[in-house]
Each structure stands twice: as C-alpha cells, then as structure tokens.
Amino acid sequence: MTAPFDLNDDQVVVIIGTGAGGGVLANELAQKGVHVVALEAGGRHLPQDYINDEWDSFGQLAWLDARTTSGDWRVAKDFSGLPAWIVKAVGGTTTHWAGASLRFQDHEWKAATTYGPVQGANLLDWPIDPAEMAPYYDKAEDKLGVTRTGGRDGLPGNNNYKVFEAGAKALGYKQVHTGRMAINSADGDRVACKQTGFCFQGCKWGAKWSSAYTDIPQGEATGNLEVRDRAHVLKIEHDDSGRVTGVLYADADGNQHLQKARVVCVAGNSIESPRLLLNSASNMFPDGLANSSGQVGRNYMRHMTGSVYAMFDKPVKMWRGTTMAGIIQDESRHDPSRGFVGGYELETLALGLPFMAAFLDPGGWGREFTTALEGYENMAGMWIVGEDMPQETNRITLNHDVKDQYGLPAPNVHFDDHPNDVAMRNHAYGQGMAVYEAVGATRVFPTPPYPSTHNLGTNRMSENPRDGVVNKWGQTHDIANLFVSDGSQFTTGAAENPTLTIVALAIRQADHIAAELGRGTL
Amino acid sequence: MLEERQKLTRRTLLSRGVAAGAAFIVGTGFVTGRDAAWAMELEHLQPTTMATLIQMARDIYPHDHVADAFYAAAVKGYDDAERAPIIETGIAGLDAAAQGAGFASYLATGWERDRVDLLRAMEDSAFFQTVRGGLVTGLYNQKAVWPLFGYEGESYSKGGYIDRGFDDITWV
Ligand SMILES: Cc1cc2nc3c(=O)[nH]c(=O)nc-3n(C[C@H](O)[C@H](O)[C@H](O)COP(=O)(O)OP(=O)(O)OC[C@H]3O[C@@H](n4cnc5c(N)ncnc54)[C@H](O)[C@@H]3O)c2cc1C
Ligand code: SF4
C-alpha cells in the first residue's frame, strides 16, 4: 500500500470528481500502477445508506449548491435554481442514473459531415472514429455488465414495459426490447435486479453499476488510489511555464489545502468542470484555464428531452420494477424527412407519486392536474432522449452576483432550444402519444423536460485547437498536463444516453495517460 | 394533530367555536373540522386565516377522496412567526377579492368554481405560488397520502417486486 499520499507529493495524478468519468479513470489508472488522489466534493454513501424515498434521497445525494438559469428553456421557469439534477457524492451521478447504456451510432461521431450545415448550430465532427472506439465500448460494456451485450441476458419486462412494448408493436416499431442496461439480469459480481423500482435513488441491492461501489473500491484495493471525500476543489494552480501544479480544495470543515500534482484531470460534470476552469483564471490566463479558444463553458447540451405519460382504464403500477428498462430505437436514425436532423430514443420511465406531482406538469393545479394524479395507478410512462444541437450561446458562465458557500461565483446555465430540438421534441411527443393510444390510453400527457440529467459539451473535443478545449485524448489543447475526463468533452451529444461513452472515453484516456507517464512526456 | 385533539374533546371544541365556511369551526387559538375529526392549535395565525388557507389548499389540489386533515397537515408549517405575516396578508387579499366578487369572504362562497376563479386571478402572485409550490411536497410527500393514490412507497425491505408482481398485469 502506498496510499494515502502527501499533499506535497507532486508525482500524483489528481482527479476532480468520482462519477462516471472520474471514478472510472481513477480505477483504471490505479490498476496500471499510477498513483492517484481523487478529490470528491460529496460524501461517501453506499447501498446500505441509500433511501427508497424520492425526496429524502434527493436531499441525501443531489448537488444543491447555488446555481442560476437563463434562456427560453422551460426549466429556467419551472426550476430556476435547479438547472440540473446531478449528484454530489462519491460515485457522482452514477448513484442516481438509471443504467441505460447505449453506444453511439457510427454516423453520430461525425455530426457535421452527416447533417451538413444547420443554421445556428455549432456542429463539429468528433476527432475520433467509431472504429477506434469499438474496443473501448467492449471494455466499458464488460465493466458495467451491460445486458444484451457480451452474452448477458436482457432484463425481464415490468408492467410499464409491457404496456410500452404492446403499443410499440401495434405501431409497427421493430427495435423494441428491455434495453441495454448496466443492471445485472443474473447474479455475478453484482446481484441480479430485485425489481424494487428505486434505480434513481441509488440501488440498495447494488444490482446497478455505480462507480461508488465498484470502480472506487477496486481502485482503492490496489493501494494506488486515495479518495478524499468532502474535498471540494476551488481552483487549479499553475506555474510560470503554464503547466498546472496542483489544486486548492476545501475539506469538510472548510479548511483549505493545496494538493500538488503531476497531472490534473477535471471530471466534475459539465457545469462544474467549465466553472472550475473559469474560476481558475490568473494573470497568465485571464479568461480561465485552457480557454484560448473561448469555448470553455460553451456548447452546453442537455439532450432533447421530454416525457409522455398516459392513463389507462386499468392499473399499470409503473413504479414496480426497473425505472428505465425498455426502449424503442426505431426513431434514433438520422432521417431528415421527419423535419429535423439526428434522432431520438424512447425509453420507459416511472416516477413515484412525489416526483410525479412535481414533474408531470410543473406549475399545474386544479382538477386538470389532480384528476391526472388520481389516475396514478393506471399510468404508464416513457422518456424521450434525442440529440440536441450544440449552440455557442448555450453556455455556463460565472454569475458574479451569486456566490456559493466558498464565496466563489455560482454558475449560470443559459439554454435556448434550437428549432431542430423543438421539431424533434414535437415529433417524439406525437410518436410517444401514439404508442399509448395504440393500446387504449384514455388520456395522454406530453410532459416538459426535467432539470438536466445529461449535461454535456462545455469543454468540447476538437481536432483544431481553435474549435474546442480538448484534443482526442481529452487533453487540453493549451496545457499538456491538464485533462478533462467527463461528459463535458462531448463534441456533439448523439441520441443515446451518454454514460457508456463517458466510461469508454475514460478507459481510453487512462491508457493514454499511463503510456505518456511511462514515456516521461507528461 | 391527533394528539392535540385529545386535549380538546369534540364537545368542547364545537362549543367553543363558530362555523367558518361549510367545513370548519374556528375558536380562540384553534381550527377544527366540522366533524372534529382533526384539530389544529395555532400560535401565530388567526384561526380563520388558517381555515381559509386549508380551503385554498384544497381548491388548488382538489382530491375529493383526501380528507381535510391532510390539507391541514400540508399547510400547518405556515403557523410560525416568520411566515405568518405573509399568509395573513395573502389571505386578506383573497378575502378582499372574494368581497369584490360579491361574497362575504372566500370561505363564504358555495361553489368551488367561484373560488377557482378568484385563485386564477391571482395565480401569478408570489403568495399563490408560495402556497402552491409548498403543497407539491407538503401534500404529496405525506406518506399517509400515498396509499390513497395506490402508491406503495419503499419496497427494499419487502425484497422488491421480483416476487411481488412487477409484471403482473394481464390486460395488455
Ligand atoms: C436521474 C438520472 C438518471 C440518469 N440515467 C442515465 C441513464 O440511464 N443512462 C445514462 O447514460 N446516463 C444517465 N444519467 C446521466 C449520468 O448519470 C451522467 O451522464 C454521468 O454520471 C455523468 O458523469 P460525469 O463523470 O460527467 O459526472 P458525475 O457522474 O456527475 O460526477 C461528477 C462528480 O464530480 C464532483 N464534483 C463536481 N465539482 C467538484 C469540485 N469542484 N470538487 C470536487 N468534486 C467535484 C461531483 O460531486 C460528482 O460526484 C442519469 C442521470 C440522472 C440524474
Ligand atoms: S429495480 Fe433493480 S436496479 Fe433498480 S434499484 Fe431495484 S434492484 Fe436496483
């Protein structure tokens, strides 16, 4: 055992955040013998601590530091202080996530080329090809134990899925199944899913993959990884040559420490990662670190989303069983004849009564609202997730009028829907409602987007340093020993839920960092 | 609330109070349902104000199968020193609007639709939005309310639904 490491150990790799990106990177590097200090703003919560209660769990795990919103998206009106639903805990948002694990389609790596110019969209091809990613997707699927890949069986369909599948088939959809899920369908390293229905609240059985109880302890077991929880990074420091040298963080008691580093990897999710780079501005880098392109914080994407709930004359009890194990993939293709570029997925989704009251029709009241909730037992639900257009003006900026608990400017999240997003959402609402009407829905609810669960793109990857923040390895174009390791690297968002790709990129980045450290080039 | 009720028997409650609208009895420092099935002692809010607030809560999220006691529980927290003044002012405004529409008070209206009209006219106000927003969790996050909507809540301690009907519907 070599961990724990000294604050003055300037040979360690410091990783900021321990979610999908940071947690996986930390373990992968530790497995290769690299010394890692992972700093996590949140505390350690494990399956025995998770709570089968929507609001109590939210209070336990969610990131609730000050944030503000602007733009024409409905979230800015409905949830002005909560632009995103993200976790602050060891394991990050992989404690809350539902586990849907899909690969990008090949053409989605090359959105600019495939879609051609789209007015107002800052489309760009990823500097990576699908062939290069394929072996990393294989590794990521094995790590997460994704169903319907690598010989693993699919999950059984719950009531919500049965309604969804019947509607989809009646409509003629062909690619309908219980999803590729990072949830065990059979006992293995993790137990098989017990269908408790609280996937969003942290899986108390540990059937769902989360870095909190897989990669993190695996990395710690090597002796090469030290995770400091309740360690909130405030600033990244650099020297006169422009290399980063360490990070300043506040511990649980608010005491500040400087951890030295040979390499720093930022994985705080797509709001905090650019905010940290911006908050680390110095005389040498007045616009923030790694921001010579001016793209830090820009091109914020959140996926085109929405939900469709439907009421039937008979019970569904959608809350029973997996929250999201069901998918229709037929609409994920790129087919501009539908009136938009890119595609979307339809995925089953269930909320408990407390969240349904908050999210079905935010701001709604009166009998139109209450009769809907009175049919809760007879409701089925699905979530829409599609590719949204990156726009330079959708961005994270520092709001100097609002400070967090450390006195640092809070992030403002600005988002306007692109006309392509609106057209796609309307199409998806239509199809989603048709699915349920095909099996006898008596009332349908095209429900507006929730606070963002998928936050992407704010430190985008680009071939040319002029166009983005990081190169194909997630290494910042400007500073060789500063990396970005989370979903903020995404050049474009694709139609699929992002986490499998975040994990595949982290595994690939670990190979690169370890190799460069070995060569002495970092 | 039920404990408080034991201190005030049904008969004393009803004898010490006067009717407030169709549903409530108010007296010095308390409000109770007409049937005295529940009662709430108050420290900061006028009893009639609380009675009106409970009615307003029901009119915002009307569920005919949910008893007043749950609405009372949802708004009880406003009876504190800090928030009471906002509620007194807001309810006074609501009563003034009711009088403007020809009723003696908000509680004196007979039809729900008359009260809903009054609420619609003020739905963008901070007062209305505070009360409505608070109810989303105040009412629907009461565990005792969940079974009234069929929601089963926590399931881990029962082993999930793997053997308890996660796929039990047969009508599709
Ligand atoms: C309810 C819900 C359901 C979801 N379902 C799915 C799904 O089915 N499929 C899918 O692909 N994706 C899903 N997601 C999205 C998925 O969880 C995220 O895409 C993924 O976790 C993002 O990984 P990340 O590494 O970018 O950030 P995170 O996992 O959010 O990790 C970031 C970590 O960094 C920490 N941090 C931030 N700033 C600092 C700082 N300054 N100092 C120290 N630590 C810091 C945070 O506390 C956090 O732990 C879901 C999300 C939610 C909320
Ligand atoms: S439904 Fe399955 S994966 Fe979801 S929380 Fe329950 S056991 Fe875990």
Side-chain angles (χ1 to χ4, degrees):
Chain A
M1 287 290 274
T2 42
F5 300 101
D6 196 87
L7 285 172
N8 288 314
D9 186 340
D10 59 7
Q11 293 305 301
V12 296
V13 172
V14 164
I15 300 176
I16 302 162
T18 58
V24 167
L25 178 66
N27 181 27
E28 292 288 317
L29 287 174
Q31 298 296 336
K32 295 175 199 295
V34 177
H35 291 178
V36 178
V37 173
L39 301 172
E40 168 54 57
R44 245 183 228 257
H45 303 283
L46 291 169
Q48 60 269 25
D49 310 321
Y50 300 149
I51 313 170
N52 266 200
D53 179 297
E54 291 179 314
W55 285 118
D56 286 352
S57 172
F58 185 81
Q60 178 188 47
L61 298 172
W63 182 285
L64 299 172
D65 295 9
R67 283 177 174 163
T68 58
T69 45
S70 56
D72 71 10
W73 57 326
R74 221 184 121 172
V75 169
K77 171 172 171 277
D78 295 337
F79 306 100
S80 60
L82 191 76
W85 180 2
I86 303 185
V87 170
K88 183 198 269 194
V90 173
T93 315
T94 67
T95 51
H96 262 11
W97 81 315
S101 302
L102 304 172
R103 296 183 182 210
F104 279 21
Q105 302 165 76
D106 286 357
H107 68 265
E108 290 172 326
W109 294 100
K110 305 293 166 193
T113 303
T114 311
Y115 305 158
V118 176
Q119 200 183 356
N122 195 16
L123 285 170
L124 191 68
D125 288 347
W126 285 67
I128 309 183
D129 8 282
E132 213 176 324
M133 284 306 290
Y136 289 102
Y137 270 138
D138 290 342
K139 289 184 185 178
E141 285 168 346
D142 280 344
K143 176 188 284 289
L144 272 51
V146 179
T147 57
R148 285 200 172 78
T149 71
R152 286 168 286 261
D153 286 340
L155 287 160
N158 67 353
N159 286 339
N160 199 26
Y161 176 72
K162 282 178 157 179
V163 176
F164 176 87
E165 182 192 51
K169 296 217 160 133
L171 229 63
Y173 280 140
K174 299 281 181 291
Q175 300 172 61
V176 188
H177 54 79
T178 58
R180 282 186 275 281
M181 304 298 297
I183 297 179
N184 275 25
S185 53
D187 288 337
D189 291 351
R190 306 189 310 256
V191 301
C193 171
K194 299 288 190 291
Q195 302 284 343
T196 54
F198 285 89
C199 308
F200 280 180
Q201 282 68 41
C203 177
K204 288 188 74 68
W205 303 96
K208 179 187 84 176
W209 178 82
S210 164
S211 62
Y213 44 82
T214 58
D215 282 76
I216 302 275
Q218 285 160 18
E220 288 174 323
T222 64
N224 298 321
L225 167 64
E226 181 192 350
V227 177
R228 281 180 218 151
D229 61 355
R230 303 189 67 196
H232 192 126
V233 177
L234 310 172
K235 191 169 195 263
I236 301 170
E237 306 269 352
H238 65 83
D239 63 17
D240 294 343
S241 73
R243 283 175 62 86
V244 295
T245 52
V247 306
L248 183 71
Y249 71 92
D251 67 19
D253 301 319
N255 298 318
Q256 296 192 2
H257 308 276
L258 183 70
Q259 172 65 54
K260 293 200 171 150
R262 180 167 176 185
V263 174
V264 172
C265 303
V266 185
N269 207 322
S270 296
I271 297 177
E272 292 311 310
S273 289
R275 174 181 178 232
L276 184 58
L277 297 179
L278 296 173
N279 267 334
S280 299
S282 63
N283 286 338
M284 191 168 179
F285 300 114
D287 299 326
L289 296 187
N291 197 17
S292 65
S293 64
Q295 294 292 313
V296 170
R298 292 186 184 271
N299 312 302
Y300 171 67
M301 295 175 287
R302 60 180 310 274
H303 270 141
M304 183 289 295
T305 69
S307 306
V308 176
Y309 294 97
M311 193 104 80
F312 296 86
D313 59 349
K314 299 188 193 65
V316 179
K317 300 182 197 281
M318 66 168 163
W319 64 87
R320 292 183 175 185
T322 42
T323 305
M324 192 171 262
I327 193 165
I328 298 169
Q329 300 207 269
D330 300 63
E331 300 287 359
S332 65
R333 70 193 190 279
H334 169 57
D335 170 7
S337 75
R338 291 173 300 179
F340 52 88
V341 300
Y344 62 87
E345 315 270 355
L346 299 172
E347 301 173 345
T348 56
L349 173 68
L351 297 180
L353 182 75
F355 273 11
M356 190 57 83
F359 296 125
L360 177 67
D361 180 14
W365 61 279
R367 290 206 181 254
E368 185 183 3
F369 183 87
T370 53
T371 51
L373 282 189
E374 282 166 14
Y376 174 70
E377 211 175 342
N378 293 8
M379 258 187 202
M382 70 169 83
W383 195 56
I384 302 162
V385 50
E387 177 158 12
D388 59 344
M389 291 294 107
Q391 301 180 71
E392 273 202 320
T393 48
N394 285 347
R395 62 189 291 208
I396 313 303
T397 52
L398 300 178
N399 183 343
H400 291 275
D401 298 330
V402 179
K403 299 277 159 62
D404 71 4
Q405 63 273 37
Y406 304 105
L408 294 172
N412 182 67
V413 182
H414 180 94
F415 189 88
D416 298 314
D417 280 314
H418 187 277
N420 196 75
D421 307 345
V422 175
M424 190 192 287
R425 180 176 295 118
N426 288 337
H427 190 272
Y429 277 150
Q431 294 306 114
M433 293 190 286
V435 164
Y436 289 133
E437 272 154 3
V439 274
T442 54
R443 194 171 160 192
V444 289
F445 306 89
T447 296
Y450 315 129
S452 315
T453 55
H454 300 175
N455 297 273
L456 305 166
T458 50
N459 293 303
R460 69 171 5 184
M461 198 180 266
S462 67
E463 184 77 58
N464 191 322
R466 199 187 50 215
D467 301 328
V469 180
V470 300
N471 68 16
K472 65 188 293 188
W473 304 108
Q475 180 178 35
T476 62
H477 289 301
D478 297 353
I479 302 177
N481 65 339
L482 177 62
F483 286 75
V484 175
S485 316
D486 60 14
S488 67
Q489 298 172 81
F490 278 35
T491 310
T492 53
E496 293 74 23
N497 315 56
T499 306
L500 184 74
T501 302
I502 295 175
V503 168
L505 288 171
I507 298 172
R508 178 170 167 277
Q509 187 179 67
D511 281 355
H512 178 76
I513 291 177
E516 295 295 308
L517 285 171
R519 273 185 222 117
T521 48
L522 266 182
Chain B
M1 272 195 316
L2 294 179
E3 286 149 25
E4 289 159 22
R5 195 196 143 193
Q6 281 152 14
K7 285 186 258 162
L8 299 162
T9 67
R10 183 185 156 86
R11 193 164 0 112
T12 44
L13 272 179
L14 299 179
S15 67
R16 281 204 238 141
V18 296
F24 310 101
I25 303 279
V26 295
T28 310
F30 75 88
V31 54
T32 176
R34 266 286 166 105
D35 58 358
W38 59 275
M40 188 193 302
E41 285 183 285
L42 297 164
E43 285 182 42
H44 302 279
L45 281 174
Q46 294 300 322
T48 309
T49 304
M50 180 52 91
T52 310
L53 183 62
I54 296 168
Q55 183 63 53
M56 177 184 175
R58 175 178 287 289
D59 294 332
I60 293 175
Y61 291 121
H63 293 289
D64 299 335
H65 72 305
V66 175
D68 279 337
F70 296 107
Y71 291 94
V75 296
K76 188 179 183 347
Y78 290 111
D79 183 41
D80 79 10
E82 197 190 323
R83 298 198 289 172
I86 306 164
I87 299 296
E88 290 291 357
T89 311
I91 294 293
L94 189 56
D95 275 331
Q99 282 150 17
F103 301 99
S105 68
Y106 185 76
L107 283 178
T109 51
W111 286 97
E112 177 182 298
R113 68 162 175 263
D114 290 327
R115 294 191 299 278
V116 169
D117 285 346
L118 297 170
L119 294 176
R120 281 275 168 232
M122 64 182 291
E123 71 175 332
D124 294 328
S125 70
F127 169 65
F128 179 89
Q129 284 304 332
T130 301
V131 174
R132 189 205 57 75
L135 281 170
V136 173
T137 46
L139 181 63
Y140 297 110
N141 204 32
Q142 288 181 49
K143 287 191 174 59
V145 164
W146 296 349
L148 305 177
F149 292 82
Y151 182 51
E152 296 171 290
E154 186 277 333
S155 83
Y156 172 73
S157 69
K158 298 172 197 133
Y161 293 103
I162 185 84
D163 300 318
R164 295 191 312 125
F166 77 101
D167 63 349
D168 64 354
I169 58 170
T170 50
W171 58 266
V172 278

